[in-house]
Amino acid sequence: MAYPANYKYTKEHEWIEVDGAKGTVGITDYAQSSLGDIVFVDLPKVGDKVEAGKIFGSVESVKAVADLYAPASGTVTSVNEDLANAPEKINVDANKTWMLRLDLTDGASADGLLSAADYEKFISEETGH
C-alpha cells in the first residue's frame, strides 16, 4: 500500500496532513489492516484539546481495541460524524478517511514525525517484511 507523501506518520500508525496551522488526522492503512473489521470509533468532541503523543480516542475492531495517539497538539475543530454510523469506512480507504481536524498549537510539532518513506521502512522493520 502506498502512503501519501504529503502526510506525516507516527510509529503508533496515525497520519496527519498539515495545512498551515490546521491538521487532519486518521489512521494508516497498515493500522486498519492489522485491526481487521472496525466496528466502533471513540473520538473527542469539538473544542477538546489533544496533546502530541497522548491518547485521544480508540478504535474497536472485531479483534481488538486500539488506542489512538495524537500526532500533534491542538484543538479539535471537527470530528468525522460519518464514523459513528459507518466506522467501516476506515477499512475501505484509511488514507482518505479522516477522524478529526485540528487547529494546531504548533504546526512545527509534526516536523518530527515520519515521512511516507520512513513510515514504510518502519513497518517493514516492525513486521519483518
Side-chain angles (χ1 to χ4, degrees), residues 7-95:
Y7 292 2
K8 295 288 193 173
Y9 300 88
T10 70
K11 289 185 176 181
E12 294 78 31
H13 310 292
E14 288 81 21
W15 57 259
I16 185 167
E17 180 180 28
V18 176
D19 182 11
K22 308 248 182 234
T24 302
V25 177
I27 64 169
T28 66
D29 188 65
Y30 174 80
Q32 73 77 24
S33 175
S34 299
L35 284 166
D37 294 335
I38 295 173
V39 296
F40 181 75
V41 181
D42 181 32
L43 298 172
K45 294 177 179 30
V46 171
D48 286 355
K49 296 201 181 310
V50 298
E51 188 177 334
K54 303 286 187 196
I55 295 170
F56 71 80
S58 63
V59 176
E60 185 175 335
S61 73
V62 294
K63 293 200 265 184
V65 175
D67 289 330
L68 298 169
Y69 294 86
S73 298
T75 302
V76 178
T77 58
S78 185
V79 174
N80 189 341
E81 301 292 342
D82 292 347
L83 298 179
N85 295 320
E88 67 277 2
K89 286 184 174 196
I90 297 167
N91 293 118
V92 175
D93 193 348
N95 288 335

